[in-house]
Every structure is written in structure tokens, then in C-alpha cells.
Amino acid sequence: MKALPVLSLLLCVCSVFFVGIYLFVGGFLLVRLEVNRTSTCGDVLQPGGGEPSAAAAADFCRARPRFRRAVLLVVDALRIDFARFDARNAAPRPHENKLPVLQEAAAARPAHGRLFPFRADPPTTTMQRIKGFTTGSLPTFVDVGNNFASSAILEDNLIHQFGQAGKRVVFMGDDTWESLFPKKFHRSLPFPSFNVKDLHTVDNGILQHLYTTMMGGDWDVLVAHFLGVDHCGHRFGPDHPAMADKLTQMDGVIRAVIDRLQNDTLLVVMGDHGMTDTGDHGGESHKETDAALFLYSPAPLFPGPPSQSEPDVVPQTDLVPSLALLLGVPIPYSSVGQVLLPLFPPHGQTDGAVGGLSQLEALWINAKQVNRFLETYSGMAKDIPPENLSQLKDEFSRLSSEYLATVGEGRPPSPELAASLQAYLTSVRDTCRATWARFNPLKMAAGLVILAFACLTCFILSELSLTLIREDGRGLKGPVVTALAAAVCVAAGQLLTQGYVEVAWCLAAAALSSELLFLWTAYRSRVTAVSKNGSKALKFASWLTPRQLLTPPLLVPLLRCASLLSDSYVIAEGRVVTFLLFSLALYIPFHLNWDGLLLPPSHDPLKSAGLLPSPHLSPSTVRKESGTLLGCVGLLIGSLYLSLSFHGCREEQGACQPSPFLSPLSRLQDSQLKNLHYVLSVFSLGVWTYLLRRCLRHYGNLNSSGGAVFVARWILPLLSVCLGLHWAVSATPEDSFRNLAELISLAQLSLPRAAFCLLGLGLFLIWLDPLTVFIKTRAAASARNSALPPPRYRASTGISPQAELHHLIPQIYQRMRRSLDDGGSSGELSGAGEVDSRPAVEAYGLGTVYSAPLLLFCGLLGIGLLLLHPEGMALSFLLLLLEMGALLHIHASSTTLKGLHGTYSGGFKVPWAPIVMWALAATQFFHATGHLPTFPSIQWGAAFVGFPDGHTGTILPASLVTLNTFASHILFAVACPLLLLWPLVCEVRGSRGGGGRAACGDEGEDAVMEMRLRENPQLFSSALLQLSTRYLFIHGAQVFASVSAAAILRRHLMVWKVFAPKLMFEASGFLVSSVSLLIGVTLVLRVDVAVGRWFKRIIPDVAR
Amino acid sequence: MWDHEIKAMASAHAIIAAAVFMATVLPGAVVRGFSVCGTHLLWLYSVSGAVAAVSVAVFWLLGITRPTKKHTLGYKLSARFQQPHQLRSRLSRLFRSCVYFFLSCLFFHTVVVLYGAPLIESALETFSLAVLLTSLTTLRCLCVLGPNVQAWIRVFSRHGAMSVWDTCLQITVVCTVVGAWVGAFPIPLDWDRPWQVWPVSCSLGATIGFLTGLVAAPAWIHYHRKQLTYKCK
């Protein structure tokens, strides 16, 4: 067994995948930390004003606000060219010239209203945009706040500030607002926004209430969010008569609102984003980002004429500080916008406007606020480049000293000061935007390429595993060295040209170069093999013919990957995977039947006369194996069907009821139902434990006194008891046992923690002492022994079916003259001269020495993961175990059937079909344990199991939630090597005789069951490597597919709702799976080492 | 090699395909508002009825039905001596075929439900699909092989086909089943088309697959007639 090449190859493949994912995600998902501080009227911004009296006063809310009330009309997807009016345009398209009111108002009273292009930041989706123009920040896809679970905005925002200032905010329209600002509104009339095809519900709902609300005095800020234009765009596109109707309707609305405005009221008409010519949005093209902003008031709003320092484009963030200062509330803490200067009078003209701030004062307050935010943020996160940060800080201190000097001396400020303050604010925003809100297409492309090549590498690696193991991992050195060299080169190049090193690109260069070198080597070796001899070429070339690749077992993962490109299929993913798994499960018996392997060969006289009567073909064996196979297919199908009832529901699935087993027991009201659920859960837990022990006992692995056996005997049942008690305690209603309250809270704390400790202890013990072999020495100087020359391994009578019935597979392990290293080459060398009157050694459970600890490990881990789930999921976990067993038996039986008919090709190769099913089952049970690839569906309760009072750090809860979310990925990946071991465990005696080894009739010559793996360490290593790489390939291909979906469909309406979360879940699932797979493989290798030591210990003992 | 049989097969298939076509078109003249999607169950039953009737008639006329060996012996004996015995044997075969037909409907129903069809809500639709699938696949097996499950299982193996008709059976049955399987793909898509409603797409898929099979089987056999060898012919 060569442990090192297997592990290092796997590690390399995994790390290449990780690099690809890291690069893509780095370019696609932009992460920003939320600063959860809020501004208040009393804040004193540093550095304070020059004169002591002013310094004592706060900066915000200093002057009397210019407006008491505001009406905010948000017209979703109101692109700037929808709002413009061009009288010369004789033949306007449906979306042109439909809003003449804006032009009329602006032209008639230029000091009262003005239209600006309003540029949104990507991602241009409604929720992110609402966040953007209320917080003044640049929301990214992932805003890491302290509360993942709800979508509510926790950052400081305008709505919050209005509430603080005592303004009554009335909202009507898109119900997204309601989820973003729960309980923040004085009054709210949300309408459902989900159905894109519905153009009128939201708008008509608003119109019913808008005018009456405006006429009534019960409001200070009125927000109305119209969705019709956006939905019309999604449904028909902008060039459709329906769009004209919709815009004309909006024109009427704006007219009516303007007519009802009072002097102290500000009207803001704005689009949150634009749309492309097909009506979509989400990306960063100008058509998507450029919306319209129209500001109007019956009182003069713009002190100066329009020409003066007019901004050609107003960034969306700039609305926030402007509105805040106009309405006299503090600027939200994390706003990075700058005030709209045309709204404020120039210095010295403040007396004209009522108590307003001058341009310079407004800018100064704004700059101080932005500087405060920048300092706070850079103290929390390190993602802003340090040199930019220090530059900005220097700039600010220079400006502040200049400003303070100017104000202190009382001289009129130079216009340059205002300009440089503006420049400062702009550069802060640009820095933040560069950090947070831009796709990085280069990184995305690099990630895609690396992932594509990684999949290819993985596939080729799995096909060439034997060659790679033979040459002892020498093929690995080249790529690794190249990778290092490439990384160093890129790092040096970056240092020389840019002065700093970006780690992502070094990693990219390393991964790409090593992949390319590996592929080139593989290609060249194939070419040379072709030139050398034909037969070998056939073997090498066989994996590239389309006929080999287009078999159903590979077609199914292809379909699965293709399904990731459509949002409907991602939404219905749980069912899609079950459908595919079911199809593959049906395919296996049909395929076996097609090959004529399912039934014993017919008694056709012609046929049996012509063919060799195979010695291994007894019809009863075939029938028994086929029966097992069909039974297991039935079991698999049954558990697949039942597992469908444990699914959760996405919000997109309208008429879907989440599984009743998903809610924790303590939430159930009906006590009878509660008891029933509890009994069911405990029953499944018991069956889980029983099945595991039963299996181990059956193969004789419960006899010795090692660590693993101790775990199986004591820790496993104890853990289940702990879990059952924990469920009981957590399900008790809080008020039922008042006098036992303390005890219950203690139990709630201690039971899960005890379970965690037991789990850790159990896993550790298995790792420490994984052997489950029981040795019985007996004086065996029997006549038979001395008569026969001792075979190397001798399985005597014990292996017969009768002994199996007695729950034991004793294997008599006799002889052993020399050490294993000598005997490894061939058994025939064993000299006949060694006459023995020595004791024989009987080893129980040697046949399952590899699979027993792995099985135990998985079982223990499964109970541990179950602890993190709601109680009802115990049933689903039981189904998982049954399905795993069914899959293993299907694989084992079909292998045996192939072996019985002599078509088995030798080696321990695991074919694609079981691996594909294994990988699909991992995804299937991801759904069947109530998980979904969306953020709201993460089961946060897992973080509080054993920690009911919460945590102090973030690592522990994060890892608990990860374990909960990817429980099935972990279990299936850890148990993956069982696919290799199980056919050996279930092998029928003598079935492999026709394979590589000579079938000389004496079955005692053969090593049995998993000892055959020790016989062929090279084949064992290569099969293990092949199995792992194939499993990784399927998961990697899924990651690649979802990455491509996110890259191709980044302008799709559903990208932030469906594809991006799917990508995150798929990528983290891959991460978890690969780590667990490595753990499983390492465990097998650890057992191998232990078995080697055990043999060494036994042999001299016997020899003496 | 089997030119005669291929010609017979092609013409039989043409007749069956025509029956499917007529079953789609003709009821429109009788029933007001008949359409494939709108009155789907009606269409479904008309197609399955037509296919069933026509294939039974065609295969009976062609005399393809191959009794098993035991039956042949009994058949010959009874043909020679006992007229009533032959009748009884025929009746029993007919009865068993009907039972098999019904069992096959139940089998397809179960498989379709396991595949994820709603269990209770649209049980009638699901069962109708099962009837369609049965009349497109099982009925053909019954016609060609007789009510003999062993033979059916044998036919679907690599060397199991014993005549051109067996090969043809393999192709059409696999095409139909794969068609129905592929027909399930568009159901989750959010296109809101009338043919996405359960079980329209599946039954359409099955029918299209069946028609493809009808075309493909003679063509495939024609092009591979050199390679085809049958053990007992």
C-alpha cells in the first residue's frame, strides 16, 4: 500500500479545485462587512468646529431643516431615457416621451424641479438597490452582518433615521421593503412583488391609497414603490405598447402628486435601476445602471441656475446625505455618498434659504461623516488596500486643517476647498466601490478555466490511476515544481511591476501551469503508448471514445450538471436529483439483464453445448445474488420515495408545504402528535444503532478488546441514549415542570455536550486503534497441517456459510514463517521444508478489517450530525443509512454477478454507476434532511445545540452550522471508500477464481475478503485513488456547472436569488466533501498501517 | 436477409402510425372542442385504444404471435383432436393476457408515482398515462411473445432476440419508455405552457417516442440486416 502518492495526488487535485473556486468567487461575490453603528443627532464628528460653542453642538440636526415632509415615489426600473422628453422626436418608441410631466415641471420652474441621470451600482437588483439608496452604502451580494437569518437591514439607514427623528414614515408598494425594514414604518401597505407577470396589483394597490394618504395629515415621509414598469419590462421588454400604457399611467400619478404637494414638502421621483433592451437587469451595463432622478418642490429647491456646477450623473448613494440634510436628520453612519451641491446655496447666501446649510458646510459635515465611517470600517476589515487608505487619510487631514483655518479666520473660503472636498468624497466612494461592488471578469474567467481543467485532470487521473501508482507518484513532481516556479515568477513579476503581491494570481498561475503540465504529460504518454504497442494504446485511448463516455452512468451526471443552468431546475433540485437517482437505480438491473447476467443462463441445449460450462456458475448462487440485487433496488427506491417527504420549501415554490418533521418537537402543540414523533425518532435512532452493531457483529468485528470495538460496544449505544434523552429534554414544554426547571436547563446544557465529548472520544479511539480483529491461538498440531505444506493464508472451514450463520467469520490465519515483506511477491516461494508443530492463529474479523472501522466511524459521525438536526430528521437519517446499505449491496451484487459470469475484469476498479449514485445520493439527502441551497433555509438552530445561551466567538457556531448543513455530504464522502471494500466483504467464495489468479481449485490458496487488498497493494492504492478521483470529479463537475451558470447568467433576474446561493452551497459542499473524503481515505490508510503492524507483531510470535 | 419480414414490419408500423394519427384527428370531428392538451385524457384514451386495436389486429393477421413450446405442443395436439380444448386454451390465453395488461397498468402506475407523480391528487391522469404506456409497450409484448414474463425478460437482453420481430420489439419499447422519461423534463420549467401540465408532456413524449420507434425499428434492422443473426429461427 502506497499511502503517500494517493494522499498527495488527492490533495493536489483538491487544492487545484479550491484555487479555481477561490478565484471565481473572489471575482464574482463581493463581500463587505456591515458596520452596525448608527448616527445620532448628538454625535460630535472629529475634528470639531473651530469655535468652542460650535464644537459643543452636534454636527447633524444643527440648522432648521429646509423641508418637513417628503414624498418618495420609487418607480422600479425607471430608466433615464424613459423620463426624458424630446419634443422633436416625431415617432417615439413605446418607452419614449411618455413622461412629459417631468420636463414640463422642470422647464416651467427651473428653481423648483430638475431631472438627473441617477446611476445605480451593480448588482442592479431591487433589494440591493433599496439597501443602497437607504443606507448610502454599496451593498454587495453578501453583506456579512451579525444576523444572517433575516433579510432585515441592520445597517444605519434613512428609514431608521426618520424614525429616530420622530417622523412618521408611511410605506406602500413592493413588499420587499417590509422584509427589509420590519416594524420601522408608521403605517405600511405592502403588496406581493413575487409574480413578475402581474403588472397591476402593486400599482393599483398603491393608487387606491396614495392620494387619500397624502391629503390626510398622518405622515411625514411617504414612500411609494411602483413595480409595474419593471414587471412590464420583464414580461414584454421596453419596446411594447404595454410599457407605453404603464409609463403614461406613471405620468398621471406624478402629475396628481405634484398637484397635491404643499410648500414644506419635497418630491423625489426615482428609478432604482434601469433595464436592458430585453427588460432584464442585474448587471452593470449603462442601460441597467442609469435610472432617472427627479427632484421637485413647490418651494424653491435649487438656489442657483442649472448651469452652475451641474453634475452630469448623480450616483445613487448621493441621495442619502442630501435627503438627510434637507430633512434635518443625521446622515446614516455607513453612507459613502456626497451631498448634491445644487440643492445647497453657495457660501454667504444662506440667509435667502430658510435656515439651510451652505454648500461648504454641507460638504464639511459630509466629509467628516465619511471619514468617521472609513476609520471604523478599516478598523474592522482589511479589504481596503492600505496605501489607498493612508492616502485618503492624509487628504482628509490636509483638508480639515485648511477648512478649520478658513473658518477660524472667518474669511470666505476659496472655491478650491469645496472642489477638493468633493474630490475627497468621490475618491472615498471610488475606493469603496473598487473594493466592494464590481465583478472582476478576469478573475472569473481564470477561475472558470482552472475549474474546467481541474475537472479534466480529475477525470484523466481516475483513468490513469494505476500507471500513476506504478510509477510511485513520480508524475506528481513535475507539476508541483512547475506550480511553485510559476507562482514565484508571477509573484516576482507583480512585485516588480506593481510593488505588491496579489496572492490570488500567484495561486492561479500555479494551478493552471501544473494542470497544463499534467495534461500534456498524460497526452504525451498516451501518444508514446500508441506508438509503442497497439494493445496498450487501446487501453489508454479507450477513455476518450465517445461511445465510452456516453453511457447512462455518465449521461446522468451530465444531465445533472445541465440542470444547474436553469433556475427552474435549481428550484426543483431535490426532485430532479431524486428523479435521476431513481432512473439510474432502475438502469442497473436492466443493464445487467441486457448483458444476460441477471438470470442464470438458460438451459438452452445449443448454448450450453457450445460454451464452456463455467465452474462457478451455480444457478442458485446467481438467483440469490439477483434476488439481493432486486431487493436492494426495491429498498433504494422505497427510501428514495420516502425521503421526498422530508423536503423543505423554497419561497419560489408556491404551493409547497414544508415537511412536518422539520420543525423541532418543542414547537408542536398537540402532545399526542409530539409523543408520536418522539417515539418515531427514538425508534429510528435505535434502529440505526442496532443495524450498525448487527453488521459489525455479523462479520465478527465485535470480539476483540481494542479501541474501535470498545467504541462499538459502549460509546455508540451511550451516544444514542444521550441523544434520545436530549430530545426528550428539549421537547418538554417550558412550563410543565416548574420545580425541575433548573435540572432541565442543566440537562439541556450538559446532554449535548456529553454527546459531543463521547463523539470526539469515539472518533479518536477509532483513529487510535482501528483494528477489530480478535486473535485466538490454539494448539493446532493437527495431522492435516503437517501433511499439507502450509499455504500462505489459509481460510479453513470457518468461512463456510454455516459459520456465517453463527455471526462469525473466523479466518484461520495459519503458518507465517517469514515476514510479510518477503512473502509479498509470491506465495509459491513458501518452502515446503518448514514442518510445523506450531500453534495456528485464528483471526476473527480479519475479512472486514478495513470496512469495520470505516463503518463505525460513519455511524458515529451520523449520530453526531443527527444531534445538530431537528428530532424528526432521525427518520431521514435512518433512510440515509438504509439507502447507503442498499447502494453498497447493489454494487456488491452486480460486481459478484459480473464475477460469476466471468466478465469481471480483475482488480478492484469501481465502475462509474455506483459512484455517480453515491454522489447523487449525497445531494439528495442534502435536500431530504430539510436543507435547501438558499440562505434563509439554513438551520440556525444547530448553532445552539449544547450552547443555549449563544456563543462568544464565531468559529464554533459557524462550524456547527456547516456540519448541520452538509451532513449528508460529509457522511457520503467519508463512507466513499466503502464502495471499494463492500464487494469484497460480500464476495461469494470462489467467484474471483477466474480473474487474475489461477483458479487451482484449492480455495485455501486465496486470501479472502479484504485480505485480498493486502495481497495487491498496488491495485489497492490505484483503486482507492480512482474511486476518490471519480467521486471528486462528479462533485467538481457540479461545481463547474454552477460556476458556469453564475458566470453566464450573471444578468439573469434570478442570479442573486437562485444561482449565486446555489454556487455558494455547491462550492462549500465540494469543500466539505473533499475534506471528508480525505478523512475517509486517510482512515483506510491508517487501518492499513495498523494491519501491517499487526502482521509484524503476529509473525515473529508465531514463528517462535 | 429478412426482406420480406422487414417489408411486413414497415407496413404494419405504417398502419399503426396512421392509427395514432387518426386517433388524434378524427375525434375532433365528433367531439366539440377536442384538442390534445385541452381534452387530454380523451386524446390519450383514443390513442391507446386505437393503437391497441390496430396492433392486435395487425399482429393477429400477420400471425406473429409465437406461443411457447409447451403451448405449441398442446396447441397442435388439441388442434388435431380436441376442438373444445383448443378453444379453452385460447380463452385462457386471452384471459391471462387481459390480467397481464391490467397488472402492467398497475406496474406503470406505481413506477410513475415513485418517479414523483402526485399520489392522490391526479391519480386518474397518472393511471391514464399508465394505460397509454401499457398499450404502447406491454400490449406489443403480449402480441409478439404471448403472456409469458420469462420470455419478456429474456427478450430484453443482448442475445435474447430470436427474430426480427423481437429486435423490433426491443427498439420500440425502449424508444417509448425513453420518450416518456424525457417527457418529464419540461414539467418543472416555469414556462406556463398548456403542455407542461401533468401528464401531457409525458404522454406526448411516450407517443413521440413510440412513433420514432416505429420508424427507427425497420430502418435500423434494414441497415444492420447483415450483422443480425438469430439463434433459433
Side-chain angles (χ1 to χ4, degrees):
Chain A
M1 186 75 192
K2 293 165 180 168
L4 202 63
V6 175
L7 273 185
S8 48
L9 275 170
L10 280 180
L11 263 177
C12 286
V13 171
C14 289
S15 46
V16 168
F17 270 110
F18 293 165
V19 169
I21 292 172
Y22 171 72
L23 268 177
F24 183 86
V25 168
F28 180 71
L29 296 178
L30 308 131
V31 180
R32 178 179 69 100
L33 283 177
E34 278 184 4
V35 178
N36 50 355
R37 296 200 198 169
T38 50
S39 310
T40 54
C41 268
D43 282 352
V44 180
L45 298 172
Q46 293 298 327
E51 59 270 48
S53 59
D59 286 280
F60 303 128
C61 330
R62 188 164 53 185
R64 236 190 86 211
R66 276 172 64 192
F67 292 98
R68 196 169 64 79
R69 307 204 285 182
V71 176
L72 197 62
L73 296 185
V74 183
V75 181
D76 211 296
L78 183 69
R79 203 162 77 188
I80 177 65
D81 56 339
F82 295 180
R84 286 202 174 111
F85 185 82
D86 184 4
R88 285 162 298 174
N89 190 346
R93 288 155 69 187
H95 62 263
E96 285 172 337
N97 284 359
K98 292 298 178 299
L99 289 174
V101 54
L102 304 179
Q103 170 70 20
E104 286 165 19
R109 305 165 80 184
H112 291 256
R114 217 168 278 177
L115 176 68
F116 301 99
F118 193 41
R119 181 159 294 164
D121 303 292
T124 46
T125 51
T126 298
M127 190 171 98
Q128 262 77 17
R129 277 354 312 150
I130 295 176
K131 271 191 178 180
F133 65 74
T134 53
T135 61
S137 184
L138 306 163
T140 53
F141 171 59
V142 189
D143 289 330
V144 183
N146 51 359
N147 185 3
F148 270 115
S150 84
S151 51
I153 297 184
L154 294 174
E155 270 188 310
D156 196 9
N157 58 64
L158 271 182
I159 307 294
H160 174 77
Q161 290 299 346
F162 289 145
Q164 291 296 98
K167 292 192 184 296
R168 291 159 295 174
V169 185
V170 175
F171 164 74
M172 50 188 76
D174 184 352
D175 58 0
T176 315
W177 287 73
E178 188 61 22
S179 63
L180 289 177
F181 306 100
K183 302 196 183 110
K184 294 270 187 193
F185 298 117
H186 177 64
R187 204 147 65 80
S188 119
L189 299 161
F191 299 96
S193 64
F194 181 66
N195 187 0
V196 178
K197 301 209 167 79
D198 177 7
L199 303 189
H200 300 295
T201 307
V202 177
D203 294 2
N204 292 347
I206 297 172
L207 290 183
Q208 268 183 7
H209 300 99
L210 181 62
Y211 306 128
T212 49
T213 311
M214 272 190 80
M215 297 320 288
D218 190 25
W219 61 278
D220 293 308
V221 176
L222 195 148
V223 181
H225 190 139
F226 294 90
L227 276 180
V229 176
D230 180 49
H231 284 188
C232 186
H234 282 306
R235 188 159 178 201
F236 301 114
D239 277 330
H240 192 276
M243 183 62 90
D245 296 345
K246 209 69 220 175
L247 288 173
T248 311
Q249 185 192 17
M250 287 301 120
D251 186 68
V253 172
I254 296 167
R255 269 176 216 281
V257 169
I258 286 178
D259 287 344
R260 289 172 172 78
L261 285 180
Q262 287 167 5
N263 260 345
D264 59 349
T265 312
L266 173 70
L267 170 69
V268 181
V269 179
M270 56 182 279
D272 56 347
H273 50 74
M275 61 171 73
T276 60
D277 288 335
T278 52
D280 294 323
H281 56 88
E284 48 186 326
S285 69
H286 277 301
K287 290 207 159 157
E288 289 160 284
T289 54
D290 284 6
L293 172 69
F294 177 72
L295 294 168
Y296 179 85
S297 169
L301 184 62
F302 298 93
S307 61
Q308 176 215 15
S309 68
E310 191 78 351
D312 19 330
V313 167
V314 180
Q316 208 172 52
T317 46
D318 291 4
L319 184 66
V320 175
S322 314
L323 272 185
L325 291 183
L326 284 179
L327 288 162
V329 296
I331 303 175
Y333 197 97
S334 32
S335 157
V336 291
Q338 73 173 276
V339 288
L340 252 176
L341 277 195
L343 289 169
F344 296 91
H347 193 73
Q349 300 177 10
T350 39
D351 347 314
V354 194
L357 296 158
S358 75
Q359 282 182 356
L360 194 63
E361 281 169 322
L363 274 176
W364 175 235
I365 293 173
N366 193 354
K368 284 197 287 185
Q369 170 264 330
V370 166
N371 177 56
R372 178 178 69 167
F373 166 70
L374 203 63
E375 278 178 358
T376 317
Y377 186 81
S378 58
M380 284 166 62
K382 300 279 171 262
D383 52 358
I384 300 179
E387 64 276 1
N388 288 10
L389 201 62
S390 61
Q391 210 176 342
L392 287 173
K393 275 185 180 155
D394 293 345
E395 175 73 9
F396 179 74
S397 54
R398 190 183 65 77
L399 284 173
S400 69
S401 59
E402 192 178 330
Y403 176 85
L404 289 180
T406 313
V407 174
E409 290 163 21
R411 61 186 156 94
S414 58
E416 288 82 34
L417 184 57
S420 44
L421 274 173
Q422 269 185 303
Y424 166 73
L425 288 169
T426 312
S427 61
V428 169
R429 195 186 54 229
D430 289 346
T431 310
C432 289
R433 180 179 294 152
T435 320
W436 298 332
R438 188 162 291 166
F439 289 137
N440 189 336
L442 205 59
K443 268 192 184 177
M444 281 163 68
L448 263 177
V449 170
I450 289 178
L451 276 177
F453 278 123
C455 286
L456 193 62
T457 309
C458 209
F459 187 80
I460 289 175
L461 201 60
S462 80
E463 298 297 327
L464 297 183
S465 60
L466 189 58
T467 332
L468 281 169
I469 292 292
R470 278 225 182 97
E471 62 190 22
D472 209 4
R474 270 193 304 276
L476 193 63
K477 269 177 206 147
V480 167
V481 169
T482 328
L484 284 178
V488 168
C489 284
V490 170
Q494 279 183 337
L495 267 181
L496 284 180
T497 53
Q498 301 174 339
Y500 62 93
V501 179
E502 205 172 346
V503 184
W505 289 114
C506 301
L507 288 176
L512 204 58
S513 60
S514 61
E515 278 169 355
L516 287 178
L517 187 69
F518 176 82
L519 290 176
W520 169 244
T521 323
Y523 175 74
R524 221 181 36 197
S525 76
R526 182 173 154 241
V527 172
T528 52
V530 167
S531 61
K532 252 190 230 162
N533 55 344
S535 68
K536 210 174 178 187
L538 199 73
K539 197 180 157 203
F540 271 103
S542 64
W543 43 263
L544 274 185
T545 56
R547 209 180 155 71
Q548 284 274 316
L549 291 180
L550 276 181
T551 53
L554 281 177
L555 199 67
V556 165
L558 191 68
L559 280 177
R560 158 96 181 106
C561 291
S563 79
L564 289 173
L565 291 168
S566 152
D567 60 326
S568 307
Y569 287 129
V570 175
I571 288 170
E573 192 194 23
R575 301 201 78 120
V576 169
V577 172
T578 316
F579 181 90
L580 291 176
L581 195 52
F582 186 77
S583 308
L584 207 52
L586 284 185
Y587 163 77
I588 283 184
F590 278 109
H591 184 69
L592 279 175
N593 185 40
W594 178 253
D595 286 338
L597 302 178
L598 196 60
L599 293 177
S602 58
H603 313 290
D604 205 349
L606 283 173
K607 197 174 175 184
S608 54
L611 290 172
L612 285 173
S614 174
H616 321 295
L617 270 179
S618 74
S620 69
T621 330
V622 174
R623 232 172 247 135
K624 195 179 143 212
E625 283 299 321
S626 314
T628 321
L629 180 82
L630 290 180
C632 286
V633 169
L635 182 64
L636 173 65
I637 288 169
S639 45
L640 275 178
Y641 187 70
L642 287 181
S643 78
L644 280 179
S645 53
F646 294 95
H647 282 210
C649 282
R650 294 177 73 114
E651 59 175 313
E652 290 90 350
Q653 295 170 311
C656 167
Q657 282 292 322
S659 159
F661 295 101
L662 271 174
S663 60
L665 276 187
S666 47
R667 292 220 196 115
L668 278 180
Q669 295 302 323
D670 186 0
S671 68
Q672 209 155 9
L673 196 67
K674 193 189 256 187
N675 286 345
L676 183 72
H677 275 211
Y678 180 71
V679 168
L680 267 178
S681 305
V682 170
F683 170 74
S684 11
L685 182 65
V687 173
W688 170 287
T689 316
Y690 170 76
L691 279 179
L692 274 179
R693 283 189 50 127
R694 170 75 214 262
C695 182
L696 292 176
R697 182 183 295 268
H698 178 78
Y699 291 112
N701 292 113
L702 281 187
N703 297 306
S704 73
S705 54
V709 179
F710 175 75
V711 172
R713 279 210 190 130
W714 298 108
I715 292 189
L716 186 66
L718 205 58
L719 192 58
S720 336
V721 170
C722 246
L723 192 51
L725 286 179
H726 165 62
W727 287 341
V729 168
S730 60
T732 10
E734 285 183 2
D735 49 350
S736 54
F737 303 104
R738 274 180 203 288
N739 31 7
L740 290 180
E742 271 188 27
L743 193 66
I744 286 178
S745 66
L746 183 70
Q748 254 170 354
L749 196 70
S750 59
L751 275 173
R753 289 191 182 182
F756 285 138
C757 292
L758 279 177
L759 180 71
L761 181 69
L763 297 183
F764 178 68
L765 276 179
I766 294 176
W767 197 267
L768 207 62
D769 183 12
L771 284 192
T772 52
V773 181
F774 177 59
I775 311 165
K776 199 165 129 193
T777 317
R778 70 170 186 197
S782 61
R784 204 174 58 125
N785 253 353
S786 49
L788 291 173
R792 235 163 54 66
Y793 296 116
R794 181 107 188 249
S796 79
T797 53
I799 200 65
S800 69
Q802 287 83 7
E804 277 189 27
L805 288 179
H806 295 293
H807 312 305
L808 286 177
I809 294 204
Q811 292 191 19
I812 297 189
Y813 181 76
Q814 295 182 339
R815 101 54 114 148
M816 298 297 149
R817 260 305 123 91
R818 70 200 71 198
S819 73
L820 253 200
D821 307 52
D822 295 1
S825 50
S826 68
E828 285 77 51
L829 281 177
S830 66
E834 290 139 356
V835 184
D836 31 24
S837 54
R838 59 199 160 66
V841 173
E842 222 172 313
Y844 291 84
L846 195 58
T848 49
V849 67
Y850 292 104
S851 52
L854 196 56
L855 198 64
L856 193 59
F857 195 86
C858 291
L860 218 56
L861 205 59
I863 294 188
L865 293 174
L866 179 55
L867 177 65
L868 300 175
H869 280 82
E871 293 86 344
M873 283 301 118
L875 284 170
S876 163
F877 270 71
L878 181 65
L879 286 179
L880 184 146
L881 188 71
L882 290 177
E883 188 170 318
M884 235 183 213
L887 278 172
L888 286 173
H889 274 288
I890 290 173
H891 170 49
S893 303
S894 54
T895 313
T896 314
L897 281 174
K898 279 177 196 159
L900 280 178
H901 288 264
T903 54
Y904 187 72
S905 55
F908 309 106
K909 247 174 111 170
V910 184
W912 277 105
I915 305 177
V916 169
M917 287 169 87
W918 202 255
L920 284 180
T923 317
Q924 181 226 337
F925 272 102
F926 171 78
H927 287 270
T929 44
H931 298 290
L932 291 167
T934 57
F935 290 109
S937 70
I938 294 179
Q939 299 176 355
W940 298 104
F944 300 101
V945 174
F947 302 91
D949 306 324
H951 300 265
T952 46
T954 51
I955 298 172
L956 192 61
S959 51
L960 284 178
V961 169
T962 311
L963 286 178
N964 162 286
T965 308
F966 297 106
S968 83
H969 285 88
I970 294 172
L971 283 178
F972 276 95
V974 170
C976 193
L978 282 179
L979 280 175
L980 167 64
L981 305 172
W982 213 256
L984 299 167
V985 172
C986 297
E987 73 176 352
V988 177
R989 292 294 301 140
S991 64
R992 306 293 176 82
R997 304 175 65 83
C1000 54
D1002 186 359
E1003 58 181 6
E1005 285 290 333
D1006 253 340
V1008 286
M1009 295 171 81
E1010 289 174 6
M1011 280 302 102
R1012 292 156 45 78
L1013 293 172
R1014 273 204 72 76
E1015 289 271 277
N1016 301 311
Q1018 231 172 35
L1019 284 183
F1020 182 22
S1021 314
S1022 75
L1024 197 61
L1025 179 64
Q1026 187 183 42
L1027 173 69
S1028 326
T1029 40
R1030 283 184 169 181
Y1031 190 73
L1032 280 181
F1033 168 74
I1034 293 165
H1035 275 291
Q1038 287 178 20
V1039 172
F1040 176 67
S1042 56
V1043 161
S1044 322
I1048 297 167
L1049 303 169
R1050 61 184 185 279
R1051 302 281 159 89
H1052 193 274
L1053 169 67
M1054 287 291 185
V1055 70
W1056 301 109
K1057 261 192 134 158
V1058 174
F1059 294 114
K1062 179 65 200 154
L1063 164 68
M1064 300 271 286
F1065 275 82
E1066 200 64 62
S1068 13
F1070 178 82
L1071 216 87
V1072 173
S1073 293
S1074 54
V1075 170
S1076 323
L1077 184 71
L1078 282 176
I1079 291 176
V1081 170
T1082 320
L1083 183 63
V1084 171
L1085 299 176
R1086 164 83 187 89
V1087 177
D1088 193 63
V1089 171
V1091 171
R1093 278 209 201 113
W1094 182 81
F1095 272 118
K1096 271 195 186 138
R1097 215 181 59 221
I1098 285 286
I1099 292 158
D1101 186 48
V1102 176
R1104 233 179 287 132
Chain B
M1 229 181 281
W2 296 283
D3 287 337
H4 172 70
E5 266 160 323
I6 291 172
K7 267 178 202 155
M9 184 186 299
S11 42
H13 282 186
I15 293 169
I16 296 174
V20 172
F21 180 70
M22 298 306 265
T24 312
V25 174
L26 276 190
V30 184
V31 182
R32 189 178 293 276
F34 177 85
S35 71
V36 174
C37 296
T39 53
H40 183 67
L41 288 190
L42 194 63
W43 172 81
L44 200 150
Y45 280 113
S46 100
V47 166
S48 27
V51 169
V54 170
S55 29
V56 167
V58 164
F59 282 103
W60 183 66
L61 284 175
L62 282 172
I64 300 298
T65 310
R66 187 181 57 232
T68 47
K69 291 217 167 73
K70 228 184 275 171
H71 276 133
T72 340
L73 201 63
Y75 175 81
K76 276 178 187 163
L77 281 176
S78 59
R80 196 165 297 167
F81 301 111
Q82 280 175 305
Q83 210 64 12
H85 189 178
Q86 184 202 1
L87 191 67
R88 203 189 305 158
S89 151
R90 276 196 172 173
L91 274 180
S92 111
R93 277 173 59 96
L94 192 67
F95 175 71
R96 274 177 48 203
S97 300
C98 290
V99 169
Y100 276 34
F101 188 89
F102 183 67
L103 285 181
S104 152
C105 287
L106 286 185
F107 172 75
F108 275 119
H109 188 100
T110 319
V111 168
V112 170
V113 165
L114 285 175
Y115 255 116
L119 182 63
I120 300 162
E121 281 162 41
S122 41
L124 180 67
E125 281 85 350
T126 311
F127 191 74
S128 313
L129 177 66
V131 170
L132 179 73
L133 283 173
T134 304
S135 48
L136 296 186
T137 59
T138 314
L139 194 80
R140 222 175 147 80
C141 291
L142 279 171
C143 288
V144 176
L145 300 170
N148 179 355
V149 178
Q150 290 281 332
W152 298 3
I153 293 175
R154 178 196 36 81
V155 163
F156 290 99
S157 66
R158 196 184 301 255
H159 307 292
M162 291 192 180
S163 71
V164 179
W165 292 101
D166 287 1
T167 312
C168 161
L169 183 72
Q170 286 175 352
I171 293 170
T172 44
V173 167
V174 167
C175 280
T176 312
V177 171
V178 169
W181 185 71
V182 172
F185 285 14
I187 294 177
L189 291 173
D190 55 357
W191 297 344
D192 281 342
R193 296 297 147 91
W195 48 266
Q196 280 181 297
V197 180
W198 174 252
V200 181
S201 58
C202 277
S203 48
L204 281 180
T207 316
I208 292 169
F210 179 67
L211 292 176
T212 317
L214 290 184
V215 176
W220 193 86
I221 292 171
H222 179 75
Y223 284 113
H224 290 81
R225 63 187 185 280
K226 295 273 165 22
Q227 291 96 314
L228 285 176
T229 48
Y230 296 112
K231 288 191 191 83
C232 354
K233 178 62 201 157

